[in-house]
Amino acid sequence: MSKISETDYRKPQRQSFPDDELRYNWLPILFDAYTLIDEGVSEGIRREERQGRELACRKNCSSCCSTHQDIPVYPLELMGMSWYVIEKLQSPLREQLMQQLQRLDMLDSCPFLLSGACSIHPLRPMACRQFNVLGKPCAEGEDAFHTRRGDVMDPIPRYRDEAFDIMLPFYGVRDKAARRQAIKRGALHALARAMRDCTWGSLPAKMRAFDDLSK
Ligand code: SF4
Ligand code: SF4
């Protein structure tokens, strides 16, 4: 589900949208957290490579985007995904996604999967970034987590916890000790929603309104 490209994982780059990051104070928090997650994935892949194991995930390998039904998304991530879709997604993906989001009930896959690729790749959630499979690519419909758990990379806790630590002030937990406790208790998990349960159907109208305002 990472749909990570070799360049991405060899040298993770922080996303940079300076004007938007000034306008939306939560956006740099999200980018910083995603950078840490990506660095953790990168480090995890390097560790596996040192053991002679190779990442199977490749660009446009995407059966996991159909197989996984319960991808967790945190509120800050929801904001990021919505922002990207409404304000940044360019043609022709923009029109294709608008159409797709209008027939959500007919979809078997993630709403953002277009022609086998993630249309919101720069803003894909942490769960997608961290799901990486070694060895051979997943077969159609295979969830490697259940069929071959040993090939699914475990996130390195330090990077994930630091990413949560960066995000916690956004949720009102500013004190360092309180943040540490919240991470230890897994308090953030209670805020996550399943991606498919989110109200993506409202996005096309917001995209059109944004387009009208931008004319
Ligand atoms: S190998 Fe599996 S987890 Fe990796 S991108 Fe392909 S389908 Fe997804
Ligand atoms: S957001 Fe959807 S399409 Fe993108 S990587 Fe995650 S599951 Fe796949």
Side-chain angles (χ1 to χ4, degrees), residues 49-79:
E49 286 176 340
R50 287 198 288 273
Q51 308 287 325
R53 311 198 71 200
E54 270 194 22
L55 182 70
C57 303
R58 291 284 178 270
K59 207 171 177 183
N60 295 326
C61 183
S62 60
S63 69
C64 53
C65 301
S66 306
T67 314
H68 290 216
Q69 300 286 328
D70 51 0
I71 298 164
V73 188
Y74 295 92
L76 187 53
E77 295 188 294
L78 284 173
M79 290 166 69

Side-chain angles (χ1 to χ4, degrees), residues 126-145:
M126 282 196 287
C128 301
R129 289 166 192 264
Q130 293 186 120
F131 192 82
N132 292 287
V133 167
L134 302 159
K136 58 180 185 187
C138 307
E140 201 63 39
E142 178 189 14
D143 183 347
F145 192 85

Side-chain angles (χ1 to χ4, degrees), residues 1-4 61-68 71 73 81 100 109-114 116-121 123-129 195-196:
M1 193 144 32
S2 70
K3 308 322 153 308
I4 197 165
C61 183
S62 60
S63 69
C64 53
C65 301
S66 306
T67 314
H68 290 216
I71 298 164
V73 188
M81 293 160 78
Q100 178 153 291
S109 311
C110 168
F112 301 103
L113 185 68
L114 284 177
C118 178
S119 59
I120 55 163
H121 189 264
L123 271 291
R124 69 201 186 286
M126 282 196 287
C128 301
R129 289 166 192 264
M195 176 130 76
R196 289 187 193 211

Side-chain angles (χ1 to χ4, degrees), residues 82 86 94 199 202-211:
S82 299
I86 295 168
R94 189 172 185 83
T199 52
S202 63
L203 282 178
K206 292 174 184 167
M207 293 163 86
R208 274 191 292 274
F210 182 81
D211 290 343

